[in-house]
Amino acid sequence: MHAIRYERVGGPEVLRLVEAPLPEPGGEQVRVAVRAAGVNPADWKTRQGLMPGPPEFPRGIGVEIAGVVDAVGPDAAWRVGDEVIGWSVGGGYAEYALATSLVAKPGGLSFADGVAVPVAANTAGGGLEALAVKSGETLLVNGASGAVGAMVVQLARAAGADVIGTASAANQAVVARFGARPTTYGEGVAARVREIAPRGVDAVFDCAGHGFLDAAIELRGGTDRIITIADGTAADKGVRFYSRAGATALDLVEKVAQRVATGEFVLPGPARTYPLAEAAAAQTESETGHGLGKIVLLV
Ligand SMILES: NC(=O)c1ccc[n+]([C@@H]2O[C@H](COP(=O)([O-])OP(=O)(O)OC[C@H]3O[C@@H](n4cnc5c(N)ncnc54)[C@H](OP(=O)(O)O)[C@@H]3O)[C@@H](O)[C@H]2O)c1
């Protein structure tokens, strides 16, 4: 099978399309014939050595897949032919990937849209739980137009919260479509938020970083009920860096996928697709940190 592998940390050029052995599922694992692989910021951060990766080289890359179960381990809960979305083991940028954390892909959802759900929904739901956001409270979301931010806004709105979301000037209408009151990020953001919510905000979910935490602390009057998933300086400022890596809320992911399939939840934009062989270009686009819609490798 074809798969993307890399032999050292570095720029996008270290990613290579290679011939690799077909992985065999054991225990509860299944092998998924990958139709779409999600390109997440964590992928290029790992490739650059900014996040821990598996100890061995050459390595696979990518954690998020949508596809069709193609072979099952002896204890697997899935059958050959099931359409699934979820997390891959050992590299999702590949024609076939092993997996255990999966949910059924709703029939009405394409593979490219389905693969936009697992990481975003799981991170958004976990972060909202950590912030204990309740109905009637005001939540501020930085980076509300992104993959995770979009899910944070829609899950918080569904839970009855009032949401203010930041995005670039170009993406204000998109954030409003998710149900948030939009404003732009950058210089003066605290004053703009205060104008929208003169009585303050109850919690802050930073999905983008870029030096937003000072404004968040100013708006909250302290570090209580602020989380970031993107700002590495969080600990220095006494803010909680939230990560749900490895802990998956499969029920929530399945529910969100169904809501996306019925149109109750919307994705930030249509998937921006690349062939598997162009993984480097896909990651280069992800590194810009802008643009609407999930970046997806079609396999
Ligand atoms: N800790 C975890 O468990 C976890 C899990 C998932 C993701 N993450 C991290 O969360 C971040 C977002 O991931 P994603 O998949 O949602 O990325 P994404 O889809 O690329 O979204 C990036 C977001 O950042 C916004 N942005 C860009 N420049 C900004 C600035 N200067 N100030 C404020 N916002 C800015 C973008 O807005 P515009 O497009 O409107 O400019 C967009 O809303 C990444 O850093 C990722 O590594 C962490």
Side-chain angles (χ1 to χ4, degrees), residues 22 40 48 57 113 148 179 183 220 225 232 265 283 297:
L22 197 62
N40 285 290
Q48 288 182 6
F57 282 108
D113 284 347
V148 179
T183 190
R220 284 286 305 135
R225 296 189 80 192
F265 276 17
Q283 286 199 351
L297 299 175

Side-chain angles (χ1 to χ4, degrees), residues 2 21 41 43 47 65 71 74 86 92 95-96 104 116 119 139 141 150 164 181 189 201 210 214 217 221 259-260 265:
H2 288 112
D43 301 347
R47 188 205 72 222
I65 52 170
E95 286 177 327
Y96 296 89
V119 168
L139 172 70
V141 181
I164 299 167
R181 291 188 281 167
V189 65
V201 299
H210 296 283
D214 290 337
I217 292 166
R259 285 174 167 183
V260 174
F265 276 17

Side-chain angles (χ1 to χ4, degrees), residues 3-299:
I4 299 291
R5 297 276 190 270
Y6 64 119
E7 298 196 351
R8 58 184 170 85
V9 298
E13 70 285 351
V14 302
L15 301 178
R16 297 251 185 274
L17 184 71
V18 300
E19 192 62 44
L22 197 62
E24 290 304 329
E28 294 179 356
Q29 289 178 333
V30 303
R31 183 174 66 214
V32 177
V34 179
R35 298 282 190 266
V39 176
N40 285 290
D43 301 347
W44 55 259
K45 290 180 186 177
T46 305
R47 188 205 72 222
Q48 288 182 6
L50 302 174
M51 290 174 76
E56 78 282 357
F57 282 108
R59 291 174 181 171
I61 191 161
V63 297
E64 203 178 29
I65 52 170
V68 182
V69 174
D70 157 83
V72 296
D75 306 317
W78 298 93
R79 284 185 305 202
V80 170
D82 286 342
E83 295 188 344
V84 290
I85 58 174
W87 284 260
S88 63
V89 179
Y93 295 12
E95 286 177 327
Y96 296 89
L98 298 179
T100 50
S101 294
L102 296 167
V103 303
K105 180 185 77 62
L109 201 58
S110 69
F111 289 105
D113 284 347
V115 86
V117 174
V119 168
N122 190 54
T123 309
L128 286 170
E129 238 172 67
L131 285 169
V133 175
K134 293 183 281 297
S135 180
E137 289 190 326
T138 300
L139 172 70
L140 172 60
V141 181
N142 185 43
S145 53
V148 179
M151 289 298 163
V152 172
V153 172
Q154 293 175 88
L155 285 168
R157 292 290 294 139
D162 174 29
V163 183
I164 299 167
T166 77
S168 57
N171 291 334
Q172 299 290 290
V174 176
V175 170
R177 192 157 58 94
F178 300 151
R181 291 188 281 167
T183 190
T184 50
Y185 52 65
E187 191 64 32
V189 65
R192 288 190 292 280
V193 170
R194 222 177 278 111
E195 220 166 89
I196 298 172
R199 282 181 297 164
V201 299
D202 298 298
V204 181
F205 196 142
D206 173 24
C207 299
H210 296 283
F212 179 73
L213 290 181
D214 290 337
I217 292 166
E218 184 188 329
L219 285 161
R220 284 286 305 135
T223 57
D224 181 43
R225 296 189 80 192
I226 302 175
I227 60 167
T228 180
I229 58 167
D231 192 328
T233 70
D236 302 339
K237 297 181 188 290
V239 169
R240 176 172 177 192
F241 186 94
Y242 177 80
S243 174
R244 199 176 203 173
T248 50
L250 293 178
D251 289 355
L252 176 76
V253 171
E254 188 160 25
K255 235 180 263 167
V256 170
Q258 283 162 358
R259 285 174 167 183
V260 174
T262 59
E264 198 183 333
F265 276 17
V266 288
L267 297 173
R272 292 174 281 161
T273 63
Y274 292 80
L276 179 63
E278 290 174 24
Q283 286 199 351
T284 300
E285 183 171 5
S286 173
E287 282 185 55
T288 66
H290 300 286
L292 288 174
K294 185 79 180 180
I295 301 172
V296 172
L297 299 175
L298 291 181
V299 183

